[in-house]
Amino acid sequence: MSKRVSNRVAAIQMVSGHDIEANLAEAEKLLTEAAAEGASVAVLPENFAVLATSQMIDCGRREAGPEPIIRSFLAEQARKLGIWIVGGSMPVAKRPDGSEIGDRVRATCLVFDDQGREVARYDKIHLFDAMVEDAHGQYRESDTFEPGDQVVTVDTPAGKLGLAICYDLRFPELFRLLREQEVDWVCLPSAFTWQTGDAHWYPLIRARAIENQIWVVAPGQGGQNSERRRTYGHSLICDPWGRVVTEMGEGPGVVAAELDSDQVANLRTRMPVWEHRRLKG
């Protein structure tokens, strides 16, 4: 397929369950829809292929080995559709330097170009260990995942991209570091709980976009994923002025928008907040 020269980006929302093959089939359908809508980059949600905690370790070891299922799927889809794919998150049992992790895995976001080549890797830095008033109750990602420690950017057809995952949204210092590296947009593959999403999803995303004068593309899990887990959804794309330019509610689907790089440059010129900072470091 011919290379796409477009700054149109798609955020893909899913309601992933515990069947990995079914999750990948749904992801393929939605990626195909994103490509048909003219997206040059499609961003999948957190845990798009593997949602169950009990599957993370075994899956992460397989993905770090010679016959990965999810990595191969993403490379194949990117090559077949001729688009860049930001692979939400998946478990990987090796660090970026190739060293073994042991009894945990990393929550890893891989980026594939339109030739199916893996061009970037980000490991989730901030892990969700919290009590939530839902049927699940307590979330302890650190029991399963080892935190990453690297800030990652990559040049894409839609501009320079900064990578973040879900709970990272609550830590503005990460976004400041990404802005320092002159990103045009940040993606935020997520699986927000319904309770935390209903309270904080919109204000946090808009704040990160406004503070850093960046686009934010935030695809999420959105629906009843299991008997005990309901995710918030409301996948959206927010512009550098803090306006939500496209969004959806719950259920699987695709939202897409053109990421106007001129809007970023003009806003930073008219309101140069980065140069006005008095407290740094």
Side-chain angles (χ1 to χ4, degrees):
M1 185 172 289
S2 61
K3 185 175 182 179
R4 294 170 186 265
V5 287
S6 163
N7 62 352
R8 189 167 180 81
V9 173
I12 293 176
Q13 183 161 294
M14 295 179 63
V15 189
S16 301
H18 294 174
D19 184 332
I20 295 174
E21 289 187 4
N23 294 338
L24 292 179
E26 180 71 1
E28 180 175 6
K29 173 186 172 184
L30 294 168
L31 286 166
T32 301
E33 183 179 332
E37 290 191 17
S40 63
V41 185
V43 189
L44 288 160
E46 183 178 30
N47 299 330
F48 79 96
V50 187
L51 188 75
T53 301
S54 60
Q55 297 175 317
M56 292 293 179
I57 302 299
D58 286 345
C59 181
R61 289 171 179 162
R62 183 180 63 236
E63 292 304 312
E67 297 183 351
I69 292 175
I70 303 169
R71 292 172 98 142
S72 297
F73 165 83
L74 291 172
E76 178 188 359
Q77 293 302 311
R79 188 166 51 248
K80 180 179 76 172
L81 297 171
I83 62 173
W84 285 56
I85 296 176
V86 181
S89 77
M90 72 181 76
V92 177
K94 286 184 179 179
R95 302 180 182 93
D97 64 5
S99 61
E100 302 281 350
I101 295 173
D103 59 354
R104 291 191 291 175
V105 293
R106 294 265 182 116
T108 297
C109 177
L110 299 175
V111 181
F112 293 83
D113 71 9
D114 56 3
Q115 302 301 307
R117 296 172 297 210
E118 189 178 306
V119 294
R121 168 180 171 164
Y122 168 71
D123 294 343
K124 186 177 182 181
I125 293 173
H126 302 99
L127 302 180
F128 188 52
D129 290 356
M131 298 292 293
V132 178
E133 293 181 355
D134 63 4
H136 198 281
Q138 185 175 23
Y139 295 80
R140 284 197 54 82
E141 287 188 336
S142 64
D143 287 347
T144 305
F145 298 101
E146 176 184 81
D149 55 9
Q150 297 177 14
V151 176
V152 178
T153 67
V154 58
D155 290 319
T156 78
K160 191 171 185 179
L161 166 64
L163 299 173
I165 300 173
C166 200
Y167 194 49
D168 285 330
L169 179 61
R170 295 182 182 273
F171 300 88
E173 58 270 24
L174 171 59
F175 287 74
R176 298 308 260 181
L177 289 170
L178 290 169
R179 172 68 174 84
E180 199 168 65
Q181 296 190 32
E182 301 183 342
V183 298
D184 300 297
W185 61 293
V186 171
C187 68
L188 190 78
S190 296
F192 259 63
T193 70
W194 194 93
Q195 283 78 2
T196 58
D198 186 53
H200 300 147
W201 180 247
Y202 288 98
L204 285 172
I205 289 174
R206 295 185 67 211
R208 299 296 88 83
I210 294 165
E211 290 164 349
N212 299 290
Q213 299 172 312
I214 54 173
W215 288 84
V216 177
V217 177
Q221 295 282 346
Q224 197 70 43
N225 301 88
S226 67
E227 183 178 340
R228 298 173 58 210
R229 188 166 186 182
R230 181 186 176 192
T231 44
Y232 184 64
H234 294 82
S235 296
L236 60 83
I237 297 176
C238 183
D239 78 6
W241 192 247
R243 292 173 295 214
V244 175
V245 299
T246 184
E247 63 177 309
M248 62 181 298
E250 292 185 85
V254 177
V255 291
E258 301 282 339
L259 305 193
D260 185 352
S261 58
D262 289 339
Q263 183 180 354
V264 174
N266 291 338
L267 178 57
R268 291 176 182 178
T269 298
R270 289 186 291 108
M271 190 180 293
V273 295
W274 200 251
E275 286 72 32
H276 294 163
R277 291 175 301 150
R278 299 293 295 275
L279 304 174
K280 303 179 183 179

